[in-house]
Amino acid sequence: MDEVERDRELDGDMELYDLRVQVERIEGRSVCGMQVGDFFELTNSAHLRLPAGRHFCVYALASVLPFLAAKQRELAAGDWLAQDALFACPDPEERLIMRVERTCRRRMNSADLT
């Protein structure tokens, strides 16, 4: 291993964003018990964190989950996912809208993740 590779391993060889997924609005009736402002955070690549004593609807989570890995990475400027931050829960009566925000950028070692 040369010096450049050793430095890269110590400093990390990739960057990922931590994310916060927050309920921005509920346009219907809240059938899952969530409220505007409820959130979860995705940190360190795969650590899902909820505030103590709070919950997040598994169906709302399932609707945004496929997009989170992409939102954690740097995206091309023209990529629609780089521009869009709002996602909807699939319950048509609830019409719960979530915002995905990047909270910080982390340098990580890919070998430590998988």
Side-chain angles (χ1 to χ4, degrees), residues 47-99:
H47 297 177
L48 188 71
R49 300 176 189 269
L50 290 166
R54 300 301 301 162
H55 76 280
F56 206 89
C57 172
V58 69
Y59 301 108
L61 174 62
S63 69
V64 73
L65 194 59
F67 302 98
L68 297 182
K71 292 294 276 186
Q72 287 180 303
R73 287 161 174 74
E74 197 62 47
L75 299 168
D79 190 316
W80 70 269
L81 200 51
Q83 300 167 12
D84 290 347
L86 299 179
F87 297 85
C89 175
D91 186 330
E93 287 195 29
E94 191 159 41
R95 296 185 309 279
L96 183 140
I97 307 299
M98 299 164 282
R99 177 175 294 279

Side-chain angles (χ1 to χ4, degrees), residues 1 3 6 16 35 37 40 43 57-58 61 70 72 78 82 86 103 105:
M1 180 183 307
E3 187 176 330
R6 193 171 26 261
L16 292 177
Q35 302 171 3
F40 70 85
T43 63
C57 172
V58 69
L61 174 62
Q72 287 180 303
L86 299 179
T103 56
R105 192 174 188 166

Side-chain angles (χ1 to χ4, degrees), residues 12-37:
D13 62 348
M14 62 183 279
E15 290 183 344
L16 292 177
Y17 289 96
D18 287 352
L19 303 174
R20 176 180 276 215
V21 178
Q22 186 164 3
V23 177
E24 181 165 292
R25 63 185 183 269
I26 301 172
E27 298 172 344
R29 63 182 184 99
S30 180
V31 295
C32 67
M34 291 201 319
Q35 302 171 3
V36 171

